[in-house]
Amino acid sequence: MDVIVARTREELRKARGEGRVALVPTMGALHEGHRSLIRLAKEHADQVVVSIFVNPLQFGPNEDFSRYPRTFDADLEVCAAEGVGVVFAPSAEEMYPPDRQVSVSAGHMGTIVEGAFRPGHFDGVLTVVLKLFNLVQPDVAVFGQKDAQQLALIRRMVADLDVPVEIVGAPTVREPDGLALSSRNRYLSPQEREIALALSRALRAGEAERAPSAVLAAARAVLERAPLQVDYCVLVDPATFAEVDDSYYGPAVLAVAARVGTTRLIDNVLLEL
Ligand code: AMP
């Protein structure tokens, strides 16, 4: 069956099916990582809705909103091939009335780690995700572990605001050489792509260690040798994103962010300490 494209909330309401619905929120420029989310969504529902919306609220004034890749026709083909029922692709005007006032605050957790480098980013993410939940009314929504702090904050929002949506996390899809798939990878020149491999190499080096300080030292040693600007390399509690020390046992996220030329990349790995 053909995928239905809904541009307005009215078209979305008409297109939404009766059975269990899974939502996969995206900003488009779909790649194999997004496909894996769609496949996981299908296992949880009768109908999959993919939203494609480059959300202006989650970009800072000096970030890549205007040059973010927009590849709608190719995205639609991906969705059709993956058996998506509805693509919800609203305009910014459809999503945000000019007189809007109220938004979601990500709280303290929105200001640390990634949030320290992108003020307001997670408020923008949570605001659009809550709006998408209210518009689509999915039973379940799928998010990538690639954006680990985003996933943690969405779980936090759903718990704190009693949002009736089940959240499913999906593992990060990587290129054979380790580079995590990202819509932003297309900004990289071949040389920059080579440099960007230091992120996943650093995570693998960290993964090989046991104690938190050794994990961090191993990861940072790899990053120091590469010609990139590291924003952070931290080891945090996966639920709170609070940094952990050597007294900590349990699951942790080793998270890195770095700029390669003008492209900012993030990656992370889940480990057990
Ligand atoms: P984006 O379009 O980049 O905002 O991402 C939409 C969703 O896809 C988010 O839940 C991301 O975490 C997820 N995603 C992005 N890259 C990957 C990847 N390499 N593997 C798995 N999921 C991903």
Side-chain angles (χ1 to χ4, degrees), residues 27 54-70 113-122 124-125 184 187 231 259 262-264 266:
M27 298 203 297
V54 185
N55 174 32
L57 243 51
Q58 70 188 69
F59 288 80
N62 298 314
E63 294 183 4
D64 56 347
F65 174 71
S66 53
R67 73 166 183 146
Y68 195 84
R70 289 161 172 88
V113 191
E114 181 73 0
F117 289 87
R118 303 187 71 185
H121 169 69
F122 288 118
V125 169
R184 292 188 168 96
Y187 300 150
D231 279 351
R259 283 162 287 132
T262 57
T263 305
R264 190 171 178 281
I266 61 170

PDB file of all heavy atoms in Angstrom, residues 27 54-70 113-122 124-125 184 187 231 259 262-264 266:
ATOM      1  N   MET A  27      14.109  14.018  11.489  1.00  0.00           N
ATOM      2  CA  MET A  27      14.264  15.288  10.776  1.00  0.00           C
ATOM      3  C   MET A  27      14.536  15.014   9.298  1.00  0.00           C
ATOM      4  O   MET A  27      15.025  15.901   8.579  1.00  0.00           O
ATOM      5  CB  MET A  27      15.384  16.115  11.397  1.00  0.00           C
ATOM      6  CG  MET A  27      15.087  16.475  12.864  1.00  0.00           C
ATOM      7  SD  MET A  27      15.949  17.916  13.447  1.00  0.00           S
ATOM      8  CE  MET A  27      17.640  17.374  13.294  1.00  0.00           C
ATOM      9  N   VAL A  54      12.134  19.265  10.295  1.00  0.00           N
ATOM     10  CA  VAL A  54      13.364  19.896  10.778  1.00  0.00           C
ATOM     11  C   VAL A  54      12.906  21.002  11.730  1.00  0.00           C
ATOM     12  O   VAL A  54      12.427  22.050  11.303  1.00  0.00           O
ATOM     13  CB  VAL A  54      14.222  20.439   9.608  1.00  0.00           C
ATOM     14  CG1 VAL A  54      15.550  20.971  10.138  1.00  0.00           C
ATOM     15  CG2 VAL A  54      14.479  19.346   8.572  1.00  0.00           C
ATOM     16  N   ASN A  55      13.024  20.694  13.009  1.00  0.00           N
ATOM     17  CA  ASN A  55      12.405  21.500  14.064  1.00  0.00           C
ATOM     18  C   ASN A  55      13.246  22.737  14.389  1.00  0.00           C
ATOM     19  O   ASN A  55      14.287  22.617  15.040  1.00  0.00           O
ATOM     20  CB  ASN A  55      12.269  20.608  15.311  1.00  0.00           C
ATOM     21  CG  ASN A  55      11.765  21.362  16.520  1.00  0.00           C
ATOM     22  OD1 ASN A  55      10.995  22.311  16.381  1.00  0.00           O
ATOM     23  ND2 ASN A  55      12.192  20.931  17.700  1.00  0.00           N
ATOM     24  N   PRO A  56      12.793  23.929  13.970  1.00  0.00           N
ATOM     25  CA  PRO A  56      13.626  25.119  14.198  1.00  0.00           C
ATOM     26  C   PRO A  56      13.927  25.351  15.674  1.00  0.00           C
ATOM     27  O   PRO A  56      14.997  25.872  16.008  1.00  0.00           O
ATOM     28  CB  PRO A  56      12.777  26.268  13.619  1.00  0.00           C
ATOM     29  CG  PRO A  56      11.404  25.721  13.422  1.00  0.00           C
ATOM     30  CD  PRO A  56      11.516  24.248  13.302  1.00  0.00           C
ATOM     31  N   LEU A  57      13.020  24.935  16.551  1.00  0.00           N
ATOM     32  CA  LEU A  57      13.169  25.182  17.994  1.00  0.00           C
ATOM     33  C   LEU A  57      14.408  24.518  18.597  1.00  0.00           C
ATOM     34  O   LEU A  57      14.892  24.936  19.645  1.00  0.00           O
ATOM     35  CB  LEU A  57      11.940  24.618  18.716  1.00  0.00           C
ATOM     36  CG  LEU A  57      11.041  25.581  19.473  1.00  0.00           C
ATOM     37  CD1 LEU A  57      10.641  26.743  18.614  1.00  0.00           C
ATOM     38  CD2 LEU A  57       9.817  24.824  19.992  1.00  0.00           C
ATOM     39  N   GLN A  58      14.901  23.446  17.984  1.00  0.00           N
ATOM     40  CA  GLN A  58      16.009  22.726  18.612  1.00  0.00           C
ATOM     41  C   GLN A  58      17.368  23.108  18.040  1.00  0.00           C
ATOM     42  O   GLN A  58      18.384  22.501  18.402  1.00  0.00           O
ATOM     43  CB  GLN A  58      15.773  21.218  18.546  1.00  0.00           C
ATOM     44  CG  GLN A  58      15.882  20.593  17.172  1.00  0.00           C
ATOM     45  CD  GLN A  58      15.446  19.145  17.184  1.00  0.00           C
ATOM     46  OE1 GLN A  58      14.283  18.836  17.353  1.00  0.00           O
ATOM     47  NE2 GLN A  58      16.391  18.226  17.023  1.00  0.00           N
ATOM     48  N   PHE A  59      17.400  24.101  17.161  1.00  0.00           N
ATOM     49  CA  PHE A  59      18.667  24.585  16.604  1.00  0.00           C
ATOM     50  C   PHE A  59      19.021  25.914  17.243  1.00  0.00           C
ATOM     51  O   PHE A  59      18.173  26.801  17.356  1.00  0.00           O
ATOM     52  CB  PHE A  59      18.553  24.793  15.087  1.00  0.00           C
ATOM     53  CG  PHE A  59      18.494  23.523  14.283  1.00  0.00           C
ATOM     54  CD1 PHE A  59      17.314  22.820  14.164  1.00  0.00           C
ATOM     55  CD2 PHE A  59      19.628  23.032  13.640  1.00  0.00           C
ATOM     56  CE1 PHE A  59      17.249  21.641  13.420  1.00  0.00           C
ATOM     57  CE2 PHE A  59      19.578  21.856  12.901  1.00  0.00           C
ATOM     58  CZ  PHE A  59      18.385  21.163  12.785  1.00  0.00           C
ATOM     59  N   GLY A  60      20.280  26.074  17.644  1.00  0.00           N
ATOM     60  CA  GLY A  60      20.766  27.358  18.150  1.00  0.00           C
ATOM     61  C   GLY A  60      20.967  28.324  16.995  1.00  0.00           C
ATOM     62  O   GLY A  60      20.992  27.917  15.829  1.00  0.00           O
ATOM     63  N   PRO A  61      21.157  29.620  17.310  1.00  0.00           N
ATOM     64  CA  PRO A  61      21.300  30.646  16.263  1.00  0.00           C
ATOM     65  C   PRO A  61      22.493  30.406  15.332  1.00  0.00           C
ATOM     66  O   PRO A  61      22.444  30.781  14.172  1.00  0.00           O
ATOM     67  CB  PRO A  61      21.453  31.950  17.053  1.00  0.00           C
ATOM     68  CG  PRO A  61      21.628  31.571  18.484  1.00  0.00           C
ATOM     69  CD  PRO A  61      21.127  30.185  18.676  1.00  0.00           C
ATOM     70  N   ASN A  62      23.564  29.771  15.855  1.00  0.00           N
ATOM     71  CA  ASN A  62      24.731  29.542  14.993  1.00  0.00           C
ATOM     72  C   ASN A  62      24.841  28.091  14.535  1.00  0.00           C
ATOM     73  O   ASN A  62      25.903  27.651  14.117  1.00  0.00           O
ATOM     74  CB  ASN A  62      26.008  29.963  15.722  1.00  0.00           C
ATOM     75  CG  ASN A  62      25.995  31.436  16.043  1.00  0.00           C
ATOM     76  OD1 ASN A  62      25.656  32.250  15.182  1.00  0.00           O
ATOM     77  ND2 ASN A  62      26.307  31.785  17.284  1.00  0.00           N
ATOM     78  N   GLU A  63      23.744  27.342  14.607  1.00  0.00           N
ATOM     79  CA  GLU A  63      23.786  25.942  14.183  1.00  0.00           C
ATOM     80  C   GLU A  63      23.305  25.798  12.734  1.00  0.00           C
ATOM     81  O   GLU A  63      23.084  26.786  12.035  1.00  0.00           O
ATOM     82  CB  GLU A  63      22.981  25.090  15.179  1.00  0.00           C
ATOM     83  CG  GLU A  63      23.656  25.075  16.552  1.00  0.00           C
ATOM     84  CD  GLU A  63      22.942  24.176  17.561  1.00  0.00           C
ATOM     85  OE1 GLU A  63      21.958  23.505  17.187  1.00  0.00           O
ATOM     86  OE2 GLU A  63      23.373  24.167  18.713  1.00  0.00           O
ATOM     87  N   ASP A  64      23.151  24.526  12.312  1.00  0.00           N
ATOM     88  CA  ASP A  64      23.006  24.254  10.870  1.00  0.00           C
ATOM     89  C   ASP A  64      21.561  24.130  10.396  1.00  0.00           C
ATOM     90  O   ASP A  64      21.291  23.421   9.434  1.00  0.00           O
ATOM     91  CB  ASP A  64      23.791  22.985  10.516  1.00  0.00           C
ATOM     92  CG  ASP A  64      23.361  21.770  11.356  1.00  0.00           C
ATOM     93  OD1 ASP A  64      22.638  21.963  12.357  1.00  0.00           O
ATOM     94  OD2 ASP A  64      23.740  20.640  11.014  1.00  0.00           O
ATOM     95  N   PHE A  65      20.619  24.865  11.021  1.00  0.00           N
ATOM     96  CA  PHE A  65      19.206  24.730  10.622  1.00  0.00           C
ATOM     97  C   PHE A  65      19.002  24.958   9.122  1.00  0.00           C
ATOM     98  O   PHE A  65      18.366  24.149   8.448  1.00  0.00           O
ATOM     99  CB  PHE A  65      18.305  25.678  11.424  1.00  0.00           C
ATOM    100  CG  PHE A  65      16.882  25.678  10.954  1.00  0.00           C
ATOM    101  CD1 PHE A  65      16.066  24.577  11.193  1.00  0.00           C
ATOM    102  CD2 PHE A  65      16.359  26.752  10.246  1.00  0.00           C
ATOM    103  CE1 PHE A  65      14.748  24.563  10.742  1.00  0.00           C
ATOM    104  CE2 PHE A  65      15.043  26.736   9.796  1.00  0.00           C
ATOM    105  CZ  PHE A  65      14.240  25.633  10.048  1.00  0.00           C
ATOM    106  N   SER A  66      19.563  26.057   8.599  1.00  0.00           N
ATOM    107  CA  SER A  66      19.253  26.391   7.201  1.00  0.00           C
ATOM    108  C   SER A  66      19.945  25.433   6.232  1.00  0.00           C
ATOM    109  O   SER A  66      19.414  25.160   5.151  1.00  0.00           O
ATOM    110  CB  SER A  66      19.625  27.839   6.893  1.00  0.00           C
ATOM    111  OG  SER A  66      20.953  28.058   7.265  1.00  0.00           O
ATOM    112  N   ARG A  67      21.098  24.869   6.624  1.00  0.00           N
ATOM    113  CA  ARG A  67      21.770  23.968   5.673  1.00  0.00           C
ATOM    114  C   ARG A  67      21.528  22.487   5.999  1.00  0.00           C
ATOM    115  O   ARG A  67      22.086  21.609   5.346  1.00  0.00           O
ATOM    116  CB  ARG A  67      23.269  24.288   5.578  1.00  0.00           C
ATOM    117  CG  ARG A  67      24.093  23.879   6.780  1.00  0.00           C
ATOM    118  CD  ARG A  67      25.603  23.908   6.450  1.00  0.00           C
ATOM    119  NE  ARG A  67      26.388  23.451   7.582  1.00  0.00           N
ATOM    120  CZ  ARG A  67      27.519  22.758   7.504  1.00  0.00           C
ATOM    121  NH1 ARG A  67      28.013  22.440   6.339  1.00  0.00           N
ATOM    122  NH2 ARG A  67      28.179  22.389   8.585  1.00  0.00           N
ATOM    123  N   TYR A  68      20.684  22.213   7.010  1.00  0.00           N
ATOM    124  CA  TYR A  68      20.403  20.811   7.343  1.00  0.00           C
ATOM    125  C   TYR A  68      19.846  20.116   6.094  1.00  0.00           C
ATOM    126  O   TYR A  68      18.980  20.668   5.405  1.00  0.00           O
ATOM    127  CB  TYR A  68      19.395  20.732   8.502  1.00  0.00           C
ATOM    128  CG  TYR A  68      19.354  19.351   9.130  1.00  0.00           C
ATOM    129  CD1 TYR A  68      20.268  18.985  10.107  1.00  0.00           C
ATOM    130  CD2 TYR A  68      18.431  18.401   8.706  1.00  0.00           C
ATOM    131  CE1 TYR A  68      20.263  17.721  10.658  1.00  0.00           C
ATOM    132  CE2 TYR A  68      18.415  17.119   9.251  1.00  0.00           C
ATOM    133  CZ  TYR A  68      19.343  16.791  10.231  1.00  0.00           C
ATOM    134  OH  TYR A  68      19.327  15.529  10.750  1.00  0.00           O
ATOM    135  N   PRO A  69      20.336  18.898   5.765  1.00  0.00           N
ATOM    136  CA  PRO A  69      19.903  18.270   4.502  1.00  0.00           C
ATOM    137  C   PRO A  69      18.397  18.003   4.459  1.00  0.00           C
ATOM    138  O   PRO A  69      17.829  17.495   5.416  1.00  0.00           O
ATOM    139  CB  PRO A  69      20.697  16.958   4.469  1.00  0.00           C
ATOM    140  CG  PRO A  69      21.205  16.745   5.848  1.00  0.00           C
ATOM    141  CD  PRO A  69      21.330  18.098   6.473  1.00  0.00           C
ATOM    142  N   ARG A  70      17.784  18.385   3.357  1.00  0.00           N
ATOM    143  CA  ARG A  70      16.345  18.120   3.166  1.00  0.00           C
ATOM    144  C   ARG A  70      16.194  17.320   1.881  1.00  0.00           C
ATOM    145  O   ARG A  70      16.468  17.825   0.797  1.00  0.00           O
ATOM    146  CB  ARG A  70      15.581  19.442   3.122  1.00  0.00           C
ATOM    147  CG  ARG A  70      15.504  20.142   4.510  1.00  0.00           C
ATOM    148  CD  ARG A  70      15.180  21.614   4.384  1.00  0.00           C
ATOM    149  NE  ARG A  70      14.921  22.277   5.666  1.00  0.00           N
ATOM    150  CZ  ARG A  70      15.838  22.823   6.447  1.00  0.00           C
ATOM    151  NH1 ARG A  70      17.127  22.749   6.132  1.00  0.00           N
ATOM    152  NH2 ARG A  70      15.490  23.429   7.568  1.00  0.00           N
ATOM    153  N   VAL A 113      26.082  18.159  29.906  1.00  0.00           N
ATOM    154  CA  VAL A 113      26.706  17.384  28.830  1.00  0.00           C
ATOM    155  C   VAL A 113      26.363  18.036  27.466  1.00  0.00           C
ATOM    156  O   VAL A 113      26.779  19.155  27.207  1.00  0.00           O
ATOM    157  CB  VAL A 113      26.326  15.882  28.918  1.00  0.00           C
ATOM    158  CG1 VAL A 113      27.189  15.054  27.955  1.00  0.00           C
ATOM    159  CG2 VAL A 113      26.535  15.357  30.360  1.00  0.00           C
ATOM    160  N   GLU A 114      25.568  17.381  26.632  1.00  0.00           N
ATOM    161  CA  GLU A 114      25.219  17.961  25.327  1.00  0.00           C
ATOM    162  C   GLU A 114      24.482  19.298  25.506  1.00  0.00           C
ATOM    163  O   GLU A 114      24.688  20.249  24.748  1.00  0.00           O
ATOM    164  CB  GLU A 114      24.354  16.951  24.561  1.00  0.00           C
ATOM    165  CG  GLU A 114      23.922  17.376  23.173  1.00  0.00           C
ATOM    166  CD  GLU A 114      25.031  17.359  22.129  1.00  0.00           C
ATOM    167  OE1 GLU A 114      26.194  17.014  22.454  1.00  0.00           O
ATOM    168  OE2 GLU A 114      24.731  17.733  20.974  1.00  0.00           O
ATOM    169  N   GLY A 115      23.656  19.361  26.527  1.00  0.00           N
ATOM    170  CA  GLY A 115      22.872  20.577  26.776  1.00  0.00           C
ATOM    171  C   GLY A 115      23.737  21.781  27.128  1.00  0.00           C
ATOM    172  O   GLY A 115      23.344  22.921  26.885  1.00  0.00           O
ATOM    173  N   ALA A 116      24.942  21.537  27.693  1.00  0.00           N
ATOM    174  CA  ALA A 116      25.834  22.645  28.031  1.00  0.00           C
ATOM    175  C   ALA A 116      26.380  23.311  26.768  1.00  0.00           C
ATOM    176  O   ALA A 116      26.721  24.480  26.779  1.00  0.00           O
ATOM    177  CB  ALA A 116      26.990  22.130  28.892  1.00  0.00           C
ATOM    178  N   PHE A 117      26.470  22.532  25.684  1.00  0.00           N
ATOM    179  CA  PHE A 117      26.981  23.075  24.418  1.00  0.00           C
ATOM    180  C   PHE A 117      25.873  23.566  23.504  1.00  0.00           C
ATOM    181  O   PHE A 117      26.136  24.260  22.527  1.00  0.00           O
ATOM    182  CB  PHE A 117      27.828  22.011  23.686  1.00  0.00           C
ATOM    183  CG  PHE A 117      29.135  21.777  24.379  1.00  0.00           C
ATOM    184  CD1 PHE A 117      29.246  20.852  25.405  1.00  0.00           C
ATOM    185  CD2 PHE A 117      30.246  22.534  24.023  1.00  0.00           C
ATOM    186  CE1 PHE A 117      30.456  20.668  26.065  1.00  0.00           C
ATOM    187  CE2 PHE A 117      31.456  22.350  24.675  1.00  0.00           C
ATOM    188  CZ  PHE A 117      31.558  21.413  25.707  1.00  0.00           C
ATOM    189  N   ARG A 118      24.632  23.159  23.797  1.00  0.00           N
ATOM    190  CA  ARG A 118      23.505  23.550  22.937  1.00  0.00           C
ATOM    191  C   ARG A 118      22.363  24.080  23.817  1.00  0.00           C
ATOM    192  O   ARG A 118      21.354  23.386  24.015  1.00  0.00           O
ATOM    193  CB  ARG A 118      23.045  22.346  22.104  1.00  0.00           C
ATOM    194  CG  ARG A 118      24.149  21.732  21.248  1.00  0.00           C
ATOM    195  CD  ARG A 118      23.608  20.653  20.322  1.00  0.00           C
ATOM    196  NE  ARG A 118      22.792  21.231  19.259  1.00  0.00           N
ATOM    197  CZ  ARG A 118      22.118  20.512  18.362  1.00  0.00           C
ATOM    198  NH1 ARG A 118      22.158  19.187  18.400  1.00  0.00           N
ATOM    199  NH2 ARG A 118      21.384  21.096  17.420  1.00  0.00           N
ATOM    200  N   PRO A 119      22.518  25.326  24.315  1.00  0.00           N
ATOM    201  CA  PRO A 119      21.484  25.861  25.211  1.00  0.00           C
ATOM    202  C   PRO A 119      20.114  25.874  24.516  1.00  0.00           C
ATOM    203  O   PRO A 119      19.993  26.314  23.378  1.00  0.00           O
ATOM    204  CB  PRO A 119      21.968  27.300  25.482  1.00  0.00           C
ATOM    205  CG  PRO A 119      23.418  27.312  25.123  1.00  0.00           C
ATOM    206  CD  PRO A 119      23.606  26.279  24.063  1.00  0.00           C
ATOM    207  N   GLY A 120      19.118  25.361  25.215  1.00  0.00           N
ATOM    208  CA  GLY A 120      17.756  25.370  24.665  1.00  0.00           C
ATOM    209  C   GLY A 120      17.444  24.206  23.746  1.00  0.00           C
ATOM    210  O   GLY A 120      16.275  23.965  23.416  1.00  0.00           O
ATOM    211  N   HIS A 121      18.475  23.465  23.332  1.00  0.00           N
ATOM    212  CA  HIS A 121      18.257  22.368  22.375  1.00  0.00           C
ATOM    213  C   HIS A 121      17.231  21.350  22.880  1.00  0.00           C
ATOM    214  O   HIS A 121      16.273  21.016  22.184  1.00  0.00           O
ATOM    215  CB  HIS A 121      19.591  21.674  22.085  1.00  0.00           C
ATOM    216  CG  HIS A 121      19.466  20.377  21.339  1.00  0.00           C
ATOM    217  ND1 HIS A 121      19.066  20.326  20.018  1.00  0.00           N
ATOM    218  CD2 HIS A 121      19.648  19.080  21.724  1.00  0.00           C
ATOM    219  CE1 HIS A 121      19.033  19.058  19.621  1.00  0.00           C
ATOM    220  NE2 HIS A 121      19.377  18.288  20.635  1.00  0.00           N
ATOM    221  N   PHE A 122      17.438  20.876  24.112  1.00  0.00           N
ATOM    222  CA  PHE A 122      16.551  19.812  24.598  1.00  0.00           C
ATOM    223  C   PHE A 122      15.150  20.328  24.921  1.00  0.00           C
ATOM    224  O   PHE A 122      14.181  19.575  24.807  1.00  0.00           O
ATOM    225  CB  PHE A 122      17.188  19.083  25.789  1.00  0.00           C
ATOM    226  CG  PHE A 122      18.338  18.207  25.386  1.00  0.00           C
ATOM    227  CD1 PHE A 122      19.618  18.441  25.872  1.00  0.00           C
ATOM    228  CD2 PHE A 122      18.159  17.147  24.514  1.00  0.00           C
ATOM    229  CE1 PHE A 122      20.688  17.630  25.487  1.00  0.00           C
ATOM    230  CE2 PHE A 122      19.218  16.330  24.122  1.00  0.00           C
ATOM    231  CZ  PHE A 122      20.486  16.577  24.618  1.00  0.00           C
ATOM    232  N   GLY A 124      13.677  22.444  23.034  1.00  0.00           N
ATOM    233  CA  GLY A 124      13.086  22.399  21.688  1.00  0.00           C
ATOM    234  C   GLY A 124      12.720  20.991  21.271  1.00  0.00           C
ATOM    235  O   GLY A 124      11.679  20.752  20.662  1.00  0.00           O
ATOM    236  N   VAL A 125      13.599  20.037  21.603  1.00  0.00           N
ATOM    237  CA  VAL A 125      13.333  18.636  21.266  1.00  0.00           C
ATOM    238  C   VAL A 125      12.079  18.151  22.005  1.00  0.00           C
ATOM    239  O   VAL A 125      11.161  17.576  21.412  1.00  0.00           O
ATOM    240  CB  VAL A 125      14.534  17.736  21.637  1.00  0.00           C
ATOM    241  CG1 VAL A 125      14.156  16.265  21.548  1.00  0.00           C
ATOM    242  CG2 VAL A 125      15.727  18.032  20.738  1.00  0.00           C
ATOM    243  N   ARG A 184      24.220  14.180   9.319  1.00  0.00           N
ATOM    244  CA  ARG A 184      25.275  15.190   9.190  1.00  0.00           C
ATOM    245  C   ARG A 184      26.563  14.615   8.578  1.00  0.00           C
ATOM    246  O   ARG A 184      27.454  15.385   8.228  1.00  0.00           O
ATOM    247  CB  ARG A 184      25.578  15.828  10.553  1.00  0.00           C
ATOM    248  CG  ARG A 184      24.421  16.687  11.067  1.00  0.00           C
ATOM    249  CD  ARG A 184      24.782  17.475  12.316  1.00  0.00           C
ATOM    250  NE  ARG A 184      23.777  18.478  12.628  1.00  0.00           N
ATOM    251  CZ  ARG A 184      22.771  18.314  13.500  1.00  0.00           C
ATOM    252  NH1 ARG A 184      22.648  17.183  14.163  1.00  0.00           N
ATOM    253  NH2 ARG A 184      21.896  19.275  13.711  1.00  0.00           N
ATOM    254  N   TYR A 187      28.026  16.087   5.388  1.00  0.00           N
ATOM    255  CA  TYR A 187      28.825  17.318   5.354  1.00  0.00           C
ATOM    256  C   TYR A 187      30.320  17.025   5.262  1.00  0.00           C
ATOM    257  O   TYR A 187      31.105  17.918   4.985  1.00  0.00           O
ATOM    258  CB  TYR A 187      28.637  18.136   6.652  1.00  0.00           C
ATOM    259  CG  TYR A 187      27.246  18.610   6.993  1.00  0.00           C
ATOM    260  CD1 TYR A 187      26.881  18.763   8.337  1.00  0.00           C
ATOM    261  CD2 TYR A 187      26.312  18.940   6.024  1.00  0.00           C
ATOM    262  CE1 TYR A 187      25.627  19.225   8.697  1.00  0.00           C
ATOM    263  CE2 TYR A 187      25.048  19.400   6.384  1.00  0.00           C
ATOM    264  CZ  TYR A 187      24.715  19.543   7.710  1.00  0.00           C
ATOM    265  OH  TYR A 187      23.493  20.003   8.077  1.00  0.00           O
ATOM    266  N   ASP A 231      34.348  18.560  22.233  1.00  0.00           N
ATOM    267  CA  ASP A 231      33.482  19.335  23.134  1.00  0.00           C
ATOM    268  C   ASP A 231      33.400  18.626  24.486  1.00  0.00           C
ATOM    269  O   ASP A 231      33.461  19.259  25.522  1.00  0.00           O
ATOM    270  CB  ASP A 231      32.079  19.503  22.540  1.00  0.00           C
ATOM    271  CG  ASP A 231      32.032  20.629  21.510  1.00  0.00           C
ATOM    272  OD1 ASP A 231      33.029  21.368  21.399  1.00  0.00           O
ATOM    273  OD2 ASP A 231      31.004  20.770  20.823  1.00  0.00           O
ATOM    274  N   ARG A 259      33.995  18.384  17.009  1.00  0.00           N
ATOM    275  CA  ARG A 259      33.820  19.060  15.727  1.00  0.00           C
ATOM    276  C   ARG A 259      34.957  18.689  14.793  1.00  0.00           C
ATOM    277  O   ARG A 259      36.134  18.729  15.167  1.00  0.00           O
ATOM    278  CB  ARG A 259      33.761  20.575  15.934  1.00  0.00           C
ATOM    279  CG  ARG A 259      32.391  21.017  16.472  1.00  0.00           C
ATOM    280  CD  ARG A 259      32.422  22.390  17.075  1.00  0.00           C
ATOM    281  NE  ARG A 259      33.104  22.385  18.365  1.00  0.00           N
ATOM    282  CZ  ARG A 259      34.050  23.247  18.717  1.00  0.00           C
ATOM    283  NH1 ARG A 259      34.446  24.188  17.885  1.00  0.00           N
ATOM    284  NH2 ARG A 259      34.615  23.152  19.908  1.00  0.00           N
ATOM    285  N   THR A 262      33.766  22.028  10.190  1.00  0.00           N
ATOM    286  CA  THR A 262      32.589  22.761  10.672  1.00  0.00           C
ATOM    287  C   THR A 262      31.463  21.813  11.079  1.00  0.00           C
ATOM    288  O   THR A 262      30.374  22.259  11.417  1.00  0.00           O
ATOM    289  CB  THR A 262      32.052  23.712   9.584  1.00  0.00           C
ATOM    290  OG1 THR A 262      31.767  22.929   8.414  1.00  0.00           O
ATOM    291  CG2 THR A 262      33.065  24.786   9.245  1.00  0.00           C
ATOM    292  N   THR A 263      31.715  20.520  11.034  1.00  0.00           N
ATOM    293  CA  THR A 263      30.658  19.547  11.328  1.00  0.00           C
ATOM    294  C   THR A 263      30.783  19.043  12.760  1.00  0.00           C
ATOM    295  O   THR A 263      31.856  18.601  13.176  1.00  0.00           O
ATOM    296  CB  THR A 263      30.741  18.353  10.355  1.00  0.00           C
ATOM    297  OG1 THR A 263      30.687  18.865   9.029  1.00  0.00           O
ATOM    298  CG2 THR A 263      29.593  17.371  10.576  1.00  0.00           C
ATOM    299  N   ARG A 264      29.678  19.111  13.490  1.00  0.00           N
ATOM    300  CA  ARG A 264      29.697  18.639  14.872  1.00  0.00           C
ATOM    301  C   ARG A 264      29.064  17.254  14.932  1.00  0.00           C
ATOM    302  O   ARG A 264      27.943  17.053  14.467  1.00  0.00           O
ATOM    303  CB  ARG A 264      28.929  19.616  15.759  1.00  0.00           C
ATOM    304  CG  ARG A 264      29.096  19.357  17.241  1.00  0.00           C
ATOM    305  CD  ARG A 264      28.495  20.489  18.064  1.00  0.00           C
ATOM    306  NE  ARG A 264      28.622  20.206  19.483  1.00  0.00           N
ATOM    307  CZ  ARG A 264      27.820  19.386  20.150  1.00  0.00           C
ATOM    308  NH1 ARG A 264      26.855  18.754  19.531  1.00  0.00           N
ATOM    309  NH2 ARG A 264      28.011  19.190  21.452  1.00  0.00           N
ATOM    310  N   ILE A 266      28.248  13.591  17.293  1.00  0.00           N
ATOM    311  CA  ILE A 266      28.168  12.976  18.610  1.00  0.00           C
ATOM    312  C   ILE A 266      28.097  11.461  18.441  1.00  0.00           C
ATOM    313  O   ILE A 266      27.670  10.961  17.405  1.00  0.00           O
ATOM    314  CB  ILE A 266      26.933  13.456  19.435  1.00  0.00           C
ATOM    315  CG1 ILE A 266      25.618  13.109  18.730  1.00  0.00           C
ATOM    316  CG2 ILE A 266      27.029  14.931  19.722  1.00  0.00           C
ATOM    317  CD1 ILE A 266      24.380  13.344  19.594  1.00  0.00           C
TER     318      ILE A 266
END
